[in-house]
Amino acid sequence: MTTGEIEDIEGIFQGIDLPEGPIELNAATRIIDVKAFIQAQLSIIKNAPESRMSIPAYERLVALKEILLA
C-alpha cells in the first residue's frame, strides 16, 4: 500500500459527515461507532502499510466509503 493510497482514503473520510448510528458494512460486520472504526482501520494501514493486515483494513474502509457516498 502506498502513502498516496493511505492519504487518499484518509482524506475521503475527513471530508464527509459521519452517521451517528450503526452501519451494516456486510453480513458479518456491524459498525457501532463509525468514527472509532475509521480511526482503527487507518491506524492499521498507517502503522504497517506493507503488512498483510493492511489489505483487509483498507478494503473495509473502501467498502464503508462506498456505503457512505452512495
Side-chain angles (χ1 to χ4, degrees), residues 1-2 4-14 16 18 23-26 29 31 33-47 49 53-70:
M1 182 156 321
T2 67
E5 289 172 319
I6 295 169
E7 290 173 353
D8 287 346
I9 196 76
E10 185 175 26
I12 288 167
F13 291 109
Q14 290 176 354
I16 61 174
L18 301 175
I23 292 179
E24 300 289 331
L25 188 62
N26 56 46
T29 308
I31 303 170
D33 185 337
V34 177
K35 185 175 180 179
F37 175 83
I38 293 168
Q39 290 174 346
Q41 302 309 300
L42 285 172
S43 177
I44 292 168
I45 63 176
K46 284 180 172 181
N47 291 324
M53 295 289 292
S54 292
I55 295 168
Y58 182 79
E59 290 172 350
R60 286 188 289 269
L61 288 172
V62 170
L64 178 61
K65 174 194 80 158
E66 290 173 4
I67 291 169
L68 295 177
L69 297 179

